[in-house]
Amino acid sequence: MSESHARSSQSSRVRELIKGSGLRCTPARQAVLGFLSRTGRPLAHSEIAKARGPAKLDRVTLYRTLAVLEDSGLVHRVQDSDGSWRFCAHVPVKKGCPGNHAHFQCTRCGEMQCLASQALPWIPVPDGALVIGKQFLICGLCPSCAATRAARKK
Amino acid sequence: MSESHARSSQSSRVRELIKGSGLRCTPARQAVLGFLSRTGRPLAHSEIAKARGPAKLDRVTLYRTLAVLEDSGLVHRVQDSDGSWRFCAHVPVKKGCPGNHAHFQCTRCGEMQCLASQALPWIPVPDGALVIGKQFLICGLCPSCAATRAARKK
DNA sequence: GGTTAGATGCAACACAGTTGCATCTAGCCG
DNA sequence: CGGCTAGATGCAACTGTGTTGCATCTAACC
């Protein structure tokens, strides 16, 4: 199976997902969902915008596209350690990021990944309170940045 | 013991804490640390600014004051559900917020509180990664907002 | 092809947070 | 007590994220 075939069959899957959610299948949505599912880790708005390269999407359109994909459950949103949002293609598109696990972000290179091996723990909340969502973010140095730092120290 | 006596003894404690951390004891620092420790829950920059009322502090000064207090360990910083920061007076000043517990934020009234009854769990990170910090935020309706909503539904 | 609800692009805005620089002052020393 | 100075404050201007309003375009339907 050639690369291009793999890519094109994936594109058609992306198209189906979008249509299956009752959304109009526009180039912007295909490109964004396709890119997110190919990458498989939570990406910042700016990373997605940059990655699009020459075929630029309007800033606002990208925000709105991500919001629509999130509303339809095709993508979910996690918080960055600096307060901005990152987006990750949801289960149907790509394994990982089922939405109930912690995320790890490297404070040096800024890259983020899912820690999907363990579900979020249960934490007692005040009596009468109603839990809607949880975010667990772990910050630190990723293996490659930690290795670089250790090597520099020697 | 009168209110004013309690308040003034607390002020002197705040002064001691600031000086004890090797910081210059300025009106801005006393006011901010005093307010945070009196309130006892994580407050947003805007809430602190608003609360200062007529004796306004410059926006930038408040940011810098909070940064200095955080550097000295007198205050710690937690993330809001909308991505902005909240600040909470640290252990020496007030019980609560020792910094290794989850926080609960009401999506309706925006108020945030510490869930100090349980420490943050251990989550496995990738081999070679180095953990520096963790944030666990639970969003939902606080007891009073949940009660209001339930009453409205009836 | 023609129609139209919904998607896109553009301009302008709101807000959090930061930086540079001029001015002021807490804490020290004489 | 009064003067000195590193460090604190205030102001202006800026960056980046995210939002809103409106005019234009187009995917999906007939």
Side-chain angles (χ1 to χ4, degrees):
Chain A
M1 182 166 67
S2 73
E3 261 285 1
S4 67
H5 177 224
R7 177 66 72 87
S8 80
S9 80
Q10 196 217 29
S11 317
S12 69
R13 196 155 53 99
V14 165
R15 261 196 302 277
E16 279 162 35
L17 277 166
I18 295 172
K19 291 206 174 183
S21 301
L23 299 178
R24 272 162 68 165
C25 188
T26 67
R29 287 169 189 181
Q30 290 178 59
V32 171
L33 185 56
F35 182 60
L36 284 177
S37 58
R38 251 175 281 132
T39 311
R41 58 184 177 79
L43 295 174
H45 176 277
S46 58
E47 289 175 296
I48 305 169
K50 218 173 292 163
R52 295 236 54 217
K56 280 244 189 297
L57 209 53
D58 185 71
R59 244 167 47 81
V60 178
T61 302
L62 178 48
Y63 278 115
R64 289 200 266 231
T65 300
L66 289 167
V68 164
L69 293 176
E70 194 198 1
D71 278 352
S72 305
L74 294 173
V75 146
H76 74 275
R77 175 193 298 241
V78 298
Q79 227 176 10
D80 195 338
S81 62
D82 73 356
S84 57
W85 292 106
R86 285 171 174 255
F87 297 84
C88 192
H90 219 310
V91 198
V93 179
K94 174 96 178 181
K95 282 279 165 50
C97 289
N100 191 41
H101 56 245
H103 292 92
F104 179 88
Q105 184 173 25
C106 179
T107 54
R108 196 136 165 280
C109 65
E111 206 165 278
M112 187 184 265
Q113 55 187 285
C114 304
L115 301 176
S117 67
Q118 190 176 313
L120 288 181
W122 183 82
I123 299 260
V125 296
D127 274 359
L130 202 64
V131 173
I132 295 173
K134 309 182 200 174
Q135 296 257 6
F136 195 164
L137 180 60
I138 300 182
C139 296
L141 294 175
C142 69
S144 84
C145 285
T148 311
R149 209 184 60 160
R152 244 206 352 248
K153 265 190 178 170
K154 236 185 295 181
Chain B
M1 183 164 67
S2 72
E3 261 287 0
S4 67
H5 177 223
R7 177 66 71 88
S8 80
S9 81
Q10 196 218 27
S11 316
S12 69
R13 195 154 54 101
V14 165
R15 261 196 301 277
E16 279 164 34
L17 278 166
I18 294 173
K19 291 207 173 184
S21 302
L23 300 178
R24 273 163 67 164
C25 189
T26 67
R29 287 167 187 181
Q30 290 177 59
V32 171
L33 185 57
F35 183 60
L36 284 177
S37 59
R38 250 174 281 131
T39 309
R41 58 183 179 78
L43 295 174
H45 177 276
S46 58
E47 289 176 296
I48 305 170
K50 218 173 292 162
R52 294 235 54 216
K56 279 242 188 296
L57 209 51
D58 186 68
R59 243 167 49 81
V60 178
T61 302
L62 179 48
Y63 276 115
R64 289 201 264 232
T65 301
L66 290 167
V68 164
L69 293 176
E70 193 197 0
D71 278 352
S72 306
L74 295 172
V75 146
H76 73 275
R77 176 193 297 243
V78 298
Q79 227 176 11
D80 196 337
S81 61
D82 73 357
S84 57
W85 292 106
R86 285 172 174 255
F87 297 84
C88 192
H90 219 310
V91 197
V93 180
K94 176 96 180 181
K95 281 278 164 51
C97 289
N100 191 39
H101 55 246
H103 292 91
F104 180 87
Q105 184 173 26
C106 179
T107 53
R108 195 137 167 281
C109 66
E111 205 164 282
M112 188 184 265
Q113 55 186 286
C114 304
L115 302 177
S117 67
Q118 189 174 315
L120 288 181
W122 183 81
I123 299 259
V125 296
D127 274 0
L130 201 66
V131 173
I132 296 174
K134 309 182 201 175
Q135 297 257 3
F136 196 165
L137 180 61
I138 301 182
C139 297
L141 293 175
C142 69
S144 83
C145 286
T148 310
R149 209 184 59 159
R152 243 203 355 243
K153 267 191 178 170
K154 237 185 297 181

